[in-house]
Amino acid sequence: MVTAADPEETRTSVWLTARPAAPARRRSEAPSGLDRERITAATVRLLDTEGLGRFSMRRLAAELGVTAMSLYWYVDTKHDLLELALDRALGELALPAAPDPKSEALPESPPETGPEAGPGTGPAAWPGRLRVLACGYRKLLVAHPWVAPLTAAYPNIGPHARAFDAALQRLLDATGLAEARRTGAHLAVSYFLHGCGGAARRLPERDFRLALDVLIAGIGGVAGSAAKTA
């Protein structure tokens, strides 16, 4: 099983390695009907049904009806394939839309979710967008329990991971925090999201949302204090 700490092995991310194209003669020898996209999709399905601990290239090959060696036409290692599967899963996450500047306001009190919610608490303001992002990520972890350990094991720098990080950065930019404090807020949110990974299926929804409200209120409180002293 892949673990976050593996000091004996040095790997280069699949996203940082340019894989040279195979010569035409060798491409003609590759299995027909197989490509990296199909292999990655099958990897996600197999991880969902059997789990990370049982995953192997042989089991994946059997799922696809090909030989294990056939897979290496498209990926160099199992780790490359797991990185590809991780980013594909992250692509399922619906990211919040870009903000409307008129909707952004600093919450003067902890976020409300009922009909009496005040300025800065609607779905278009940064607290609402952060709540959408966090709850969506939690649902992703529940649907794909293997995502959490792979996020800890790999750099997680694929296109969908970068899109997620950019969405988080945009909504934190809307808080009005200075750059140094935005960095701290970014770390706090990231640790919160990844920290709940192992407990995502066990933590009651009410407790998760309460913890999220506390996080949002804390960021809003720091932003509000900074605005008053500016």
Side-chain angles (χ1 to χ4, degrees):
M1 180 175 177
V2 176
T3 59
D6 192 357
E8 300 301 321
E9 185 176 3
T10 302
R11 297 191 300 270
T12 300
S13 171
V14 68
W15 303 110
L16 300 177
T17 304
R19 202 166 193 267
R25 182 184 62 81
R26 293 191 62 201
R27 287 200 301 270
S28 67
E29 299 169 1
S32 61
L34 203 60
D35 55 33
R36 182 179 272 196
E37 181 69 16
R38 183 185 170 200
I39 293 171
T40 303
T43 299
V44 171
R45 291 195 303 271
L46 194 61
L47 288 168
D48 284 344
T49 56
E50 298 194 0
L52 184 57
R54 298 187 64 192
F55 179 80
S56 71
M57 297 297 268
R58 288 185 180 277
R59 296 181 78 85
L60 176 61
E63 175 78 10
L64 289 166
V66 299
T67 65
M69 289 305 297
S70 300
L71 303 176
Y72 293 102
W73 284 93
Y74 306 96
V75 292
D76 290 331
T77 68
K78 180 177 79 170
H79 295 292
D80 289 353
L81 191 50
L82 291 174
E83 277 197 84
L84 293 169
L86 172 60
D87 199 67
R88 183 184 177 93
L90 291 174
E92 299 174 10
L93 186 61
L95 300 178
D100 176 357
K102 295 180 180 180
S103 70
E104 299 294 352
L106 295 175
E108 298 179 356
S109 59
E112 300 176 79
T113 57
E116 303 301 322
T121 63
W126 73 260
R129 287 187 287 124
L130 179 52
R131 188 172 286 105
V132 168
L133 193 68
C135 291
Y137 190 78
R138 180 176 188 252
K139 290 178 180 178
L140 180 75
L141 294 179
V142 173
H144 306 295
W146 47 272
V147 164
L150 290 191
T151 298
Y154 295 119
N156 204 16
I157 54 175
H160 291 119
R162 295 198 305 270
F164 175 87
D165 195 66
L168 174 57
Q169 190 59 56
R170 283 195 302 271
L171 70 86
L172 290 176
D173 288 345
T175 63
L177 288 168
E179 183 176 354
R181 293 188 175 186
R182 283 202 308 275
T183 300
H186 192 289
L187 284 173
V189 174
S190 296
Y191 282 130
F192 174 81
L193 293 178
H194 300 318
C196 77
R201 288 175 295 170
R202 301 188 301 271
L203 189 67
E205 182 73 14
R206 179 179 179 182
D207 292 348
F208 173 82
R209 289 183 176 272
L210 176 60
L212 179 58
D213 282 349
V214 171
L215 175 65
I216 291 173
I219 294 173
V222 172
S225 297
K228 291 176 182 177
T229 58

